[in-house]
Each structure stands twice: as C-alpha cells, then as structure tokens.
Amino acid sequence: MSKRNMGKIGVLLVNLGTPDTPETPDVRKYLREFLLDKRVIDINPVGRYFLINGIIAPFRAPKSAKVYKELWTERGSPLLFHGLDLKEKLQVALGDNYHVAFGMRYQSPSIKSALEELRDKSVDRIIVLPLFPQYASASTGSVQDKVMEIVKDWWVIPSINFISSFCDDPGFIKAFAELGKQHMAKDNYDHVIFSYHGLPERQVLKGSDKGYCKLGSCCNSYNKRNKYCYRAACFATSRLLAEQLGLSEDQYTVTFQSRLLKDPWLQPYTDEVLKMLPAKGIKKVLAYSPAFVADCLETTVEVGSEFKEMFEHAGGEKWQLVESLNSEQIWVDAVKDMILQH
C-alpha cells in the first residue's frame, strides 16, 4: 500500500484513573469502579460486590479523599494532567500521520471516549499503550479487556495492536535512570529501593506458564516463560536500572507496596524493609517507584511522604523519591520509539 493511500495511525495511551475531584463522593465513585473490576479483586462476584460496596468504599473513601486533597494541584490530579501533557508532546513528536488519544481505565476521560475520538479520525489501525511498564492482569490486562469489550460493538474494527509490556524497553530504562542520576549527582546515597505496586500472590501464580512460577529464583531471569509474570518483570526492570545506575546487587533492594486485605501479597513489603535499614547503617535512601510512569497518590504521597516519615522515624537521615517520568522529553522520545517499533 502506498503512503498516499495509508490513513492515520491511532495511538491510545491509557493510565489507571483518578477521581474527578478529591471530594468524598467522587472518590467513593472512583473506588467502586476500580475495585469492582473482576481483574483487580479476583474473588467471587457476589462477595466482591458486598466487600466493596458494604465495607471498602464507604469506609475508605473519606480517608482517601483526605489524601487526594494533599495530592491535588491547581491543574487537578497529577495522573491526569501528566497524561494529557504526554499526549500533546507525543502528538508533536509523531507528526501528522498519527493521532494520539488519552483515556483512563476508570473514570474520565474514558477509554470509550478516547476510542471514539480515534474512530472519528478514521484511523487505519490503533496501537494501544497501557502506561504500566510491567504486565499484570489487574492493570494492562484490564485495559486490554475493556478495549476489546468496546470495539466488539463497532461495525468496522480496525487492526489493533497492544503493547503489553515495556519493563525492559531501553528508552524507558534510560529515561528513569537519568532522573535517578540527577539526584545521585547531588548527594551520596547508601542504598536504592525499587518499590513496586504489590499484587496478591495468587494473581501472579494464576498467570504462570504451566506452573513455572514459584515466587522464587524463577524471577532471576526474564524469559519467554515468565514474560507476563509481574514479579519477574519488576526484577527485570530493577536489574536494568541498577546496571544503568552502576549499582551492585547489595546496593539495591526490590520491594512491594500498597497491599490490600489480608491475603499474602508479593514480598518483601516496602514499609517493613525501610524500617530495618537505619539499624544496618543505611541512612540515606534513593527511592524509585518504577511501576508508575506518572506521579500519583502511590508515588508522591505513599513513597515520597509516608515512607519518608517512617524511614526518618526509624533513624534514617534522608529519603529521596525519584520523580516519575511524567512528560519529560526523554520519556516522550522513548514512547515515540515504542510506537514506531509497532
């Protein structure tokens, strides 16, 4: 097909979601949509319904609303405006042969509205990039599920390509490493923490290739059998970042944060690890949250503020969060390269 006959290529960027406002009713609405997703809390549907609507949403919403108010800026939710900034910059970088849209898995702008935007532009095909570096059914899988649910009702369905993981993408690794190096140039850190959003162990095991995953040394290499294992992907990202930062194995630790309910989640837990570091002589820590490419509650508040307070209370002297990639030009360039490769 000649270039003159080729239509535009649609690019759909998707992030998790955010309440419309930090007020309790909007936070409750967001939590309900998010946590009722069968891929997020994978239990009996009836039990999930009563758990979310009867316990979690009513009691957690007021507490979460208070935290969201700390996070909110004049531009609103960081996760939203960083996503919109990335969209605009990527559009400029890709040029007129592409049309870039941005949507959220939960709340607005919705995936449906973003897909409708691409359909209105009569794109020939769509490249979907869920903005989660490490594949998990609860994040990337949920986005893919939602996209397919929406387009199945279209009369004409264009070719759709999903970028399911970019945990080891050279551009992604380089961009995050550069942000860390900026902090390392200003101070000497005793240790680096790579803190990832946690998952229940059962979800990792459910996605295992014929029982390959043992939640152990099987994650020491990243290969075709565990390429969709969230834990293996987190370790792969950490190894590559450590290499770029010039760290030896004893100079960094991989941990997991944000656990929910009582089931066993991926370990070690960040909050438990950081409390033990000062007693080992580790007083200055550089903290990464490489499961997120845009600053949000889990990075700015949880890692940047709450963990900092815990660390200092345990005797630490400095806890420095490495900001997310947001819409840094080096990240825009990395996303552009990923799109062009597909």
Side-chain angles (χ1 to χ4, degrees):
M1 182 183 292
S2 67
K3 288 187 176 181
R4 116 177 26 172
N5 293 326
M6 289 180 64
K8 284 189 176 183
I9 296 174
V11 176
L12 173 59
L13 304 176
V14 184
N15 215 324
L16 189 72
T18 182
D20 292 332
T21 75
E23 300 302 321
T24 299
D26 283 332
V27 173
R28 184 180 297 115
K29 179 182 177 183
Y30 166 71
L31 287 176
R32 280 176 173 156
E33 184 182 1
F34 171 39
L35 297 175
L36 282 171
D37 186 337
K38 65 182 182 297
R39 289 179 179 269
V40 174
I41 296 184
D42 55 328
I43 61 175
N44 178 279
V46 176
R48 180 172 58 244
Y49 178 85
F50 285 106
L51 175 66
I52 303 309
N53 288 290
I55 300 176
I56 296 181
F59 292 99
R60 188 173 177 180
K63 297 178 182 178
S64 296
K66 183 179 179 180
V67 179
Y68 272 112
K69 288 176 182 177
E70 297 176 22
L71 179 71
W72 229 252
T73 72
E74 292 181 356
R75 294 187 64 191
S77 167
L79 194 69
L80 175 57
F81 69 73
H82 285 312
L84 293 174
D85 289 347
L86 176 62
K87 166 193 168 182
E88 296 301 324
K89 292 183 179 181
L90 182 62
Q91 182 65 71
V92 173
L94 288 171
D96 294 339
N97 290 331
Y98 292 79
H99 185 83
V100 183
F102 176 72
M104 293 287 200
R105 174 60 184 87
Y106 313 104
Q107 300 298 286
S108 57
S110 66
I111 291 177
K112 184 176 182 180
S113 67
L115 283 170
E116 291 291 347
E117 178 184 335
L118 295 178
R119 183 161 68 162
D120 289 344
K121 295 294 181 180
S122 300
V123 298
D124 273 0
R125 60 191 181 94
I126 298 173
I127 300 172
V128 182
L129 175 59
L131 293 169
F132 313 111
Q134 301 82 22
Y135 177 88
S137 177
S139 53
T140 305
S142 182
V143 169
Q144 295 168 333
D145 192 347
K146 190 66 175 179
V147 169
M148 291 186 286
E149 175 190 316
I150 293 167
V151 301
K152 71 178 174 57
D153 294 325
W154 290 8
W155 188 252
V156 175
I157 301 176
S159 296
I160 299 177
N161 188 15
F162 294 98
I163 300 178
S164 298
S165 173
F166 53 91
C167 66
D168 57 350
D169 177 77
F172 163 68
I173 297 297
K174 179 181 178 181
F176 241 144
E178 287 301 315
L179 294 183
K181 288 177 182 179
Q182 292 175 18
H183 288 289
M184 295 171 74
K186 299 174 184 177
D187 205 343
N188 294 318
Y189 291 91
D190 303 320
H191 204 72
V192 174
I193 291 285
F194 296 116
S195 179
Y196 295 84
H197 197 287
L199 280 181
E201 290 182 352
R202 69 173 183 276
Q203 291 193 5
V204 175
L205 294 172
K206 281 170 66 173
S208 176
D209 176 21
K210 300 177 182 178
Y212 178 80
C213 179
K214 305 298 181 184
L215 298 174
S217 60
C218 50
C219 293
N220 290 345
S221 66
Y222 190 55
N223 54 67
K224 64 180 182 179
R225 294 200 66 186
N226 63 10
K227 67 179 295 185
Y228 291 111
C229 170
Y230 179 75
R231 185 174 183 268
C234 292
F235 278 94
T237 297
S238 300
R239 286 192 296 269
L240 291 169
L241 279 172
E243 181 180 339
Q244 289 278 318
L245 296 171
L247 303 175
S248 58
E249 288 188 12
D250 62 341
Q251 290 179 306
Y252 72 92
T253 303
V254 179
T255 62
F256 299 90
Q257 65 187 77
S258 310
R259 61 189 183 276
L260 179 68
L261 304 179
K262 296 181 179 180
D263 290 342
W265 281 47
L266 292 177
Q267 298 183 46
Y269 301 135
T270 308
D271 56 347
E272 294 182 357
V273 168
L274 66 86
K275 293 174 183 177
M276 297 185 292
L277 295 180
K280 299 178 180 179
I282 296 174
K283 301 290 187 178
K284 293 184 179 182
V285 170
L286 187 65
Y288 267 95
S289 195
F292 301 92
V293 298
D295 280 319
C296 55
L297 187 149
E298 286 84 357
T299 62
T300 304
V301 177
E302 188 172 11
V303 179
S305 179
E306 294 176 358
F307 287 171
K308 179 177 184 292
E309 185 177 340
M310 290 180 193
F311 182 66
E312 292 176 347
H313 183 74
E317 296 176 2
K318 184 172 183 178
W319 176 276
Q320 176 62 56
L321 170 68
V322 177
E323 301 81 359
S324 292
L325 299 170
N326 297 324
S327 62
E328 295 284 343
Q329 189 58 48
I330 191 172
W331 172 228
V332 175
D333 294 339
V335 176
K336 175 186 174 182
D337 289 343
M338 277 192 274
I339 298 301
L340 293 179
Q341 289 170 20
H342 286 78

